[in-house]
């Protein structure tokens, strides 16, 4: 039998592999219920909440332009700057989503 310290050192992939091994006998009176469907519903609910929040935030902001440009090079630079800022925010949100998915995966398997 493994020690608790050895089990705690296993990676999530090792735990998945061990969990999928059907040659390991389980006690007949053991009843395990994994919250997979519940986690899926929570994920969908969280995504919907984020979308509603983004929609509410974007609708509450005034849509007044700051300035117009006479020089097309300055206009292009302003567009490039705005797209870079948007890209950075989307990238940061993607990292947060990945972190959240890892936490959800850990909850599903424990």
């Amino acid at each position: 039998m493994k020690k608790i310290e050895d089990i705690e050192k296993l990676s999530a992939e090792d735990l998945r592999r061990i969990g999928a091994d059907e040659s390991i006998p389980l006690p007949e009176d053991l009843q395990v219920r994994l919250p997979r469907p519940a986690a899926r519903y929570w994920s969908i609910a969280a995504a919907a909440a984020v979308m509603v929040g983004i929609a509410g935030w974007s609708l509450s902001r005034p849509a007044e332009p700051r300035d117009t440009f006479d020089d097309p090079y300055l206009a292009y630079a302003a567009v490039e700057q705005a797209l870079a800022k948007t890209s950075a925010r989307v990238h940061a949100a993607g990292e947060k989503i990945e972190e959240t998915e890892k936490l959800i995966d850990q909850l599903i398997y424990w």
Side-chain angles (χ1 to χ4, degrees):
M1 183 169 276
K2 291 190 175 208
K3 295 180 181 178
I4 296 290
E5 295 83 23
D6 296 333
I7 295 172
E8 289 175 346
K9 292 178 185 176
L10 293 174
S11 68
E13 186 60 39
D14 291 334
L15 293 172
R16 285 189 195 108
R17 183 181 44 78
I18 293 169
D21 187 5
E22 293 185 15
S23 66
I24 300 173
L26 293 175
E28 290 183 20
D29 61 341
L30 179 66
Q31 293 181 1
V32 178
R33 293 185 182 198
L34 296 178
R36 289 178 191 255
R40 180 175 297 141
Y41 295 129
W42 280 108
S43 300
I44 293 170
V50 168
M51 295 300 285
V52 168
I54 290 172
W57 175 75
S58 64
L59 293 175
S60 68
R61 297 183 64 199
E64 298 177 17
R66 288 189 198 167
D67 196 2
T68 58
F69 294 93
D70 294 329
D71 185 3
Y73 293 107
L74 291 176
Y76 180 78
V79 168
E80 198 171 50
Q81 181 183 11
L83 291 176
K85 184 186 275 188
T86 302
S87 174
R89 288 183 177 177
V90 168
H91 181 71
E95 289 176 353
K96 292 285 186 184
I97 290 171
E98 287 177 7
E99 291 173 16
T100 305
E101 285 176 345
K102 288 178 185 177
L103 291 173
I104 290 172
D105 284 343
Q106 289 175 354
L107 290 174
I108 289 173
Y109 290 107
W110 292 106

